Amino acid sequence: MTTSTLIALPTELQLLSVASEMYPFVKTGGLGDVVGSLPSALRSYGIHTRTILPGYRAVMAALEDRRLVENFPNVLGHGVHLWEGTARGHHLLVVDVPSLYDRPGNPYIAPNGHDWHDNGIRYAVLSRVAAYVAQGCIPDWRPDVVQTHDWQAGLVAAYLRYDGVEASPPVAHVIHNLAFQGLFPREMLETFGLPGEAFTLEGVEYYGQIGFMKAALQIADRLTAVSPTYAEEIQTPEFGMGLDGLLRARSHVLSGILNGIDLKEWNPATDAAVIFPYEVGDIVGRRANKRVFQAEFGLPQNPDALLLGIVSRLTTQKGADLLAEIAPRLFEHPIQLAVVGVGDADIMRSFAALQARYPRNIVCHLRYSETLGHRLHSAVDASLVPSRFEPCGLTQFHALRYGSVPIAARVGGLTDTIVDANTAATYEGVANGILFSPTDRDTLFNAIRRAQNLFRQKSVWARLQRNGALHDVSWEGKAANYARLFLEMVGRNPNEAEIADEIAPRRGDMPAQKQRGLRVIKAARMPQGGPRGYAAHHFPMRTGTHS
């Protein structure tokens, strides 16, 4: 068993978090969840976060007690009002440029399904203003550390380098998904306010283009991936998306820190989306939710049918195409499937056709629904995560917490959180899910059939559910890793205290601690190879396709 040093907490630290989305205001995936839940977890370790966001409609509407802290007449050709205020307990800075951010729907994609044509300047302005804040443009406040998230905030480190301002705070860049890199023509260098010297291999240049993500990977002081396994995977050609060489060269500043979830937000006993509330780990109390789910959405109320669920972007990365392809084979057995998500048009059409052909086996809600994203995990027997790659994944955390057994590909953060129900792990009673590899049709089908065999063994399945509920999916310990990282970046290395396990303990095994400690972070290794009322969101009528 590996161990890590626990360290006493030093003085407080001010953090500027730069992101393009944040739950509950704007969310397209796990990025928004993490940006929304991490600040409160960090607060326990003396880290005080101000998050800077674009002035989307939902963000501006939620901002309370706002005050104008700076007025920039010209930021890359746009006038900017910088507001400060609070919203749902978060301390926010908001970059208000209506011509860039006051738009309906998805923050990145236009109604025609394509990226907004001006996404480059939209997120360059966000990064440029964030760099000004980092340099101290707000009276009486300056961050000790800047944390940037994904490509949309990737230019912050570049602006801080090429501005040449002394004593700029260090930057830690979080890699949530390396597949999205923010690439734009080199002709936009001046538009983005970058000097000619920035367009080099050691700067923002990436195969003749400007790379927002590449700039952050090249220039940021520290890099963190959202799981230890993903930190290793992205240093390989298979998962590195063309940036594996750079990441191998900078592996000494790269580490993997697993995500967590907000346990107050994800609590089946208080979740308004759960029809029959139950305590975490109460596998008997949750059974009624399966029956009412089947009845509400037109599936036969067969307790012996394995009810599968998937809440996901319906894309090839998430393996949704594989699930659609094997569905007819699955439905030859007592298996039901509920699909919640939106994504590629062809994949959505495939699921809509399956629903029309197999109305007693599958129900689809082909749009985003936060409510159904919660309710589904309280009702289904197993949650599917057949991703071709998965930086961390939060779906498996939600499933484990709500008593749904995850069936997942053996990639990224899924590997770091799921203990496969192989013979040894099942015998020892430590398994909490099912992993499979490689990610293809046959292995996915066989994994589901393996789950069905375990499902028939009621005591074994119940143990999987209980183990999942006991698994620590919170930010406990993970936020401490971030705190330790930030403190190291500013030279506040505290004194060593005691030794504790690196592996996240089960909730029932966690000792009470009077004071939180901080775990030493290891650099990424070089890769070796009473029923509630029904919620307002429902599945659509079974006739028709909804996108």
Side-chain angles (χ1 to χ4, degrees):
M1 179 178 291
T2 56
T3 60
S4 60
T5 305
L6 286 175
I7 299 165
L9 188 69
T11 56
E12 295 183 342
L13 182 144
Q14 300 294 321
L15 176 70
L16 175 65
S17 176
V18 188
S20 59
E21 59 184 83
M22 182 183 198
Y23 180 81
F25 317 115
V26 177
K27 170 187 167 181
T28 64
L31 168 62
D33 283 318
V34 171
V35 173
S37 59
L38 182 55
S40 61
L42 288 173
R43 199 175 302 128
S44 300
Y45 298 93
I47 311 296
H48 298 277
T49 307
R50 299 190 193 190
T51 304
I52 186 167
L53 297 169
Y56 306 126
R57 290 180 183 178
V59 174
M60 296 299 296
L63 196 61
E64 299 175 351
D65 302 322
R66 70 182 188 181
R67 67 183 184 94
L68 185 66
V69 293
E70 189 60 73
N71 181 28
F72 301 97
N74 186 357
V75 177
L76 309 183
H78 295 269
V80 176
H81 294 304
L82 180 62
W83 299 96
E84 182 176 22
T86 60
R88 298 284 292 272
H90 296 285
H91 194 159
L92 301 183
L93 297 167
V94 180
V95 180
D96 183 16
V97 187
S99 62
L100 296 181
Y101 307 125
D102 185 11
R103 302 177 184 181
N106 188 290
Y108 317 122
I109 300 174
N112 63 9
H114 298 290
D115 290 350
W116 290 108
H117 70 281
D118 56 351
N119 272 349
I121 194 65
R122 295 173 76 216
Y123 296 108
V125 168
L126 172 68
S127 295
R128 178 65 274 185
V129 174
Y132 287 143
V133 173
Q135 293 163 354
C137 76
I138 297 178
D140 304 321
W141 188 79
R142 183 170 180 167
D144 298 302
V145 175
V146 179
Q147 183 181 45
T148 55
H149 297 269
D150 260 0
W151 76 262
Q152 293 90 343
L155 287 188
V156 174
Y159 288 130
L160 291 177
R161 168 187 280 188
Y162 296 109
D163 283 352
V165 176
E166 292 186 7
S168 292
V171 177
H173 186 73
V174 185
I175 307 165
H176 293 267
N177 193 334
L178 198 60
F180 301 100
Q181 299 185 7
L183 299 176
F184 300 95
R186 64 176 298 172
E187 290 76 20
M188 298 191 71
L189 193 70
E190 184 176 350
T191 302
F192 295 154
L194 291 165
E197 64 186 280
F199 196 74
T200 65
L201 188 62
E202 293 74 27
V204 304
E205 188 270 338
Y206 182 66
Y207 289 99
Q209 295 180 287
I210 300 169
F212 281 40
M213 176 70 86
K214 187 267 181 179
L217 302 186
Q218 181 72 57
I219 300 172
D221 299 277
R222 291 296 296 265
L223 305 172
T224 59
V226 290
S227 71
T229 295
Y230 192 55
E232 296 181 23
E233 288 177 340
I234 58 179
Q235 297 178 68
T236 68
E238 182 180 2
F239 295 101
M241 304 294 174
L243 291 164
D244 52 290
L246 172 57
L247 289 164
R248 287 194 298 273
R250 302 209 72 207
S251 63
H252 61 289
V253 298
L254 171 64
S255 56
I257 301 177
L258 197 65
N259 285 336
I261 62 173
D262 185 340
L263 299 189
K264 293 180 181 178
E265 183 74 24
W266 289 92
N267 184 351
T270 59
D271 192 336
V274 177
I275 301 302
F276 290 95
Y278 58 96
E279 296 294 330
V280 174
D282 181 5
I283 62 174
V284 175
R286 79 183 294 273
R287 289 176 184 166
N289 287 295
K290 177 178 179 178
R291 293 193 298 270
V292 74
F293 189 93
Q294 290 170 318
E296 182 181 1
F297 302 125
L299 297 173
Q301 289 182 279
N302 179 4
D304 295 324
L306 178 65
L307 177 56
L308 305 173
I310 182 170
V311 181
S312 175
R313 295 195 308 276
L314 303 179
T315 63
T316 54
Q317 179 212 326
K318 298 295 185 179
D321 57 318
L322 302 177
L323 179 59
E325 290 173 8
I326 67 168
R329 294 168 61 192
L330 293 176
F331 298 153
E332 294 173 2
H333 308 275
I335 291 176
Q336 299 171 343
L337 174 63
V339 179
V340 176
V342 64
D344 295 348
D346 289 343
I347 296 175
M348 293 170 64
R349 280 192 289 268
S350 296
F351 280 116
L354 287 167
Q355 179 174 280
R357 182 180 176 187
Y358 301 98
R360 295 177 61 82
N361 295 93
I362 180 173
V363 60
C364 300
H365 182 88
L366 302 180
R367 63 176 67 178
Y368 171 80
S369 172
E370 187 72 21
T371 298
L372 283 176
H374 283 241
R375 191 193 303 176
L376 181 141
H377 293 300
S378 74
V380 300
D381 298 305
S383 297
L384 298 170
V385 198
S387 304
R388 286 180 167 87
F389 66 93
E390 191 61 68
C392 178
L394 296 180
T395 296
Q396 77 274 22
F397 293 162
H398 305 154
L400 292 168
R401 174 87 168 152
Y402 277 41
S404 173
V405 176
I407 303 173
R410 194 186 295 273
V411 293
L414 302 173
T415 304
D416 294 323
T417 51
I418 298 171
V419 180
D420 179 58
N422 56 47
T423 302
T426 302
Y427 178 79
E428 293 294 333
V430 297
N432 62 12
I434 293 172
L435 292 172
F436 65 91
S437 65
T439 307
D440 59 33
R441 288 173 295 183
D442 289 338
T443 53
L444 173 58
F445 178 81
N446 291 335
I448 293 173
R449 290 287 285 143
R450 182 157 64 99
Q452 189 175 34
N453 289 333
L454 294 173
F455 178 68
R456 295 190 182 107
Q457 304 172 54
K458 298 305 181 185
S459 62
V460 174
W461 194 261
R463 185 61 180 265
L464 293 178
Q465 292 177 291
R466 292 193 185 97
N467 287 347
L470 286 171
H471 188 86
D472 182 18
V473 297
S474 74
W475 279 108
E476 183 78 28
K478 304 154 190 172
N481 283 338
Y482 275 114
R484 168 70 188 183
L485 171 68
F486 300 147
L487 294 168
E488 286 181 347
M489 291 174 68
V490 297
R492 300 184 193 174
N493 291 329
N495 296 322
E496 293 188 4
E498 58 184 306
I499 302 296
D501 289 340
E502 184 180 62
I503 299 174
R506 297 185 300 174
R507 290 187 304 115
D509 298 337
M510 294 174 64
Q513 295 182 357
K514 294 182 179 180
Q515 181 178 350
R516 292 184 184 271
L518 304 181
R519 298 180 187 274
V520 167
I521 302 170
K522 297 182 178 180
R525 293 179 295 172
M526 292 290 285
Q528 298 179 353
R532 288 196 173 100
Y534 283 36
H537 293 75
H538 297 282
F539 282 97
M541 294 179 61
R542 303 187 67 88
T543 58
T545 304
H546 298 262
S547 60

